[in-house]
Amino acid sequence: MQILLIEDQPMLVACVQEGLEGLGYRVDLAHDRVEGRYLATEGDYALVVLDVALAGADLAVLQAIRRTKQTPVLMLTARDKLADRLRGLQLGADDYLAMPFSAAALRVRVQALLQRHTPPPSTRVQLADLQVDLQRRECARNRVRLKLSPKEFDLLAELLQHPGKVVSHATLARRVWNTRFEDDCSTLEVTVGRLRKKLDGPFDVKLLHTVRGAGYVLEDREAASRALDLS
């Protein structure tokens, strides 16, 4: 993630930059409000950290950001008056951090803002006419619900993490059963057989394929073949 820091005090810049880069974020710097306003409105940032002293009269930089973007903004301020904080929040600031502050306080505020504004990953996956809700542990093909056992669902979910790629016996054993089958893959083979019967048996298009000596792959080979023909 890339963060924009709008700050002109060298010691504070060094402190904030070190703290953010230590968390793995990339930091762009703007040392005045003109540059800061331009980068914040034209760039694509996960977060803007803005010193109130550089925000301009009536927090003009903050208002400019809010006219075009919903980027979260953390305000740094030497003042901690309630009226000032309320004014900033009314104009679109997401949070305030009063100076001086600790590295831990900065870390907590930044991570909380980023988590709040990061959309949760989708729990629904689709392959051909197969639809799977990983959170609800439900799946259907062509709107026909498939009744899978817990291990059958776990196996399907693992294969869905790597569509079109062969997943080895060892990987499936480790991730689905948290064990090693060594030379005996009978448990895996039985579960695959049951899953294939429910997943592919009633349908013309087969999705679960065996790659002899390597593992299993989940893919719509007919669609892939049609794509090659068209190319």
Side-chain angles (χ1 to χ4, degrees):
M1 290 186 179
Q2 196 154 3
I3 294 175
L4 174 62
L5 171 61
I6 306 175
E7 177 59 65
D8 63 350
Q9 299 181 42
M11 291 185 63
L12 191 54
V13 166
C15 175
V16 174
Q17 186 173 13
E18 181 180 356
L20 295 177
E21 290 180 346
L23 292 173
Y25 304 121
R26 298 189 304 276
V27 181
D28 283 352
L29 300 176
H31 297 286
D32 59 64
R33 67 173 60 96
V34 175
E35 182 184 20
R37 177 174 178 164
Y38 175 78
L39 291 177
T41 55
E42 297 297 326
D44 186 15
Y45 294 97
L47 174 70
V48 174
V49 180
L50 172 61
D51 189 331
V52 170
L54 291 182
D58 203 20
L59 303 181
V61 174
L62 174 61
Q63 293 194 67
I65 295 172
R66 281 294 167 262
R67 279 195 289 270
T68 58
K69 292 182 176 290
Q70 296 301 314
T71 308
V73 177
L74 172 62
M75 306 291 289
L76 304 181
T77 177
R79 300 172 297 179
D80 196 25
K81 295 181 180 179
L82 179 59
D84 293 333
R85 292 168 62 91
L86 290 177
R87 179 61 177 159
L89 294 171
Q90 289 172 348
L91 292 175
D94 292 273
D95 200 359
Y96 268 80
L97 187 56
M99 298 181 279
F101 52 82
S102 66
L106 174 67
R107 181 174 63 250
V108 168
R109 296 295 180 88
V110 167
Q111 291 180 325
L113 281 176
L114 290 174
Q115 290 174 2
R116 192 186 312 163
H117 288 81
T118 301
S122 174
T123 63
R124 298 193 176 192
V125 184
Q126 183 165 348
L127 176 65
D129 60 351
L130 171 65
Q131 295 180 323
V132 179
D133 189 321
L134 298 172
Q135 184 174 17
R136 295 185 176 183
R137 297 179 67 85
E138 296 176 348
C139 61
R141 280 201 68 176
N142 197 24
R143 300 183 181 181
V144 177
R145 186 171 180 178
L146 308 180
K147 297 181 180 179
L148 305 183
S149 71
K151 283 303 179 187
E152 291 164 1
F153 187 90
D154 291 342
L155 179 60
L156 175 62
E158 183 58 38
L159 291 168
L160 274 171
Q161 301 302 312
H162 316 277
K165 297 182 179 179
V166 178
V167 184
S168 69
H169 303 94
T171 298
L172 292 172
R174 184 175 67 254
R175 294 186 178 176
V176 177
W177 283 270
N178 195 29
T179 187
R180 297 175 60 188
F181 289 147
E182 301 295 344
D183 295 329
D184 181 11
C185 295
S186 58
T187 301
L188 172 59
E189 291 171 354
V190 168
T191 307
V192 168
R194 290 174 177 169
L195 174 60
R196 178 179 280 124
K197 183 177 180 179
K198 298 176 183 180
L199 179 68
D200 287 339
F203 305 96
D204 294 333
V205 177
K206 310 306 179 185
L207 299 178
L208 180 53
H209 308 279
T210 300
V211 180
R212 194 172 301 278
Y216 302 94
V217 59
L218 199 66
E219 63 179 341
D220 183 353
R221 289 183 171 177
E222 292 189 14
S225 178
R226 289 194 299 270
L228 286 175
D229 290 340
L230 290 175
S231 63

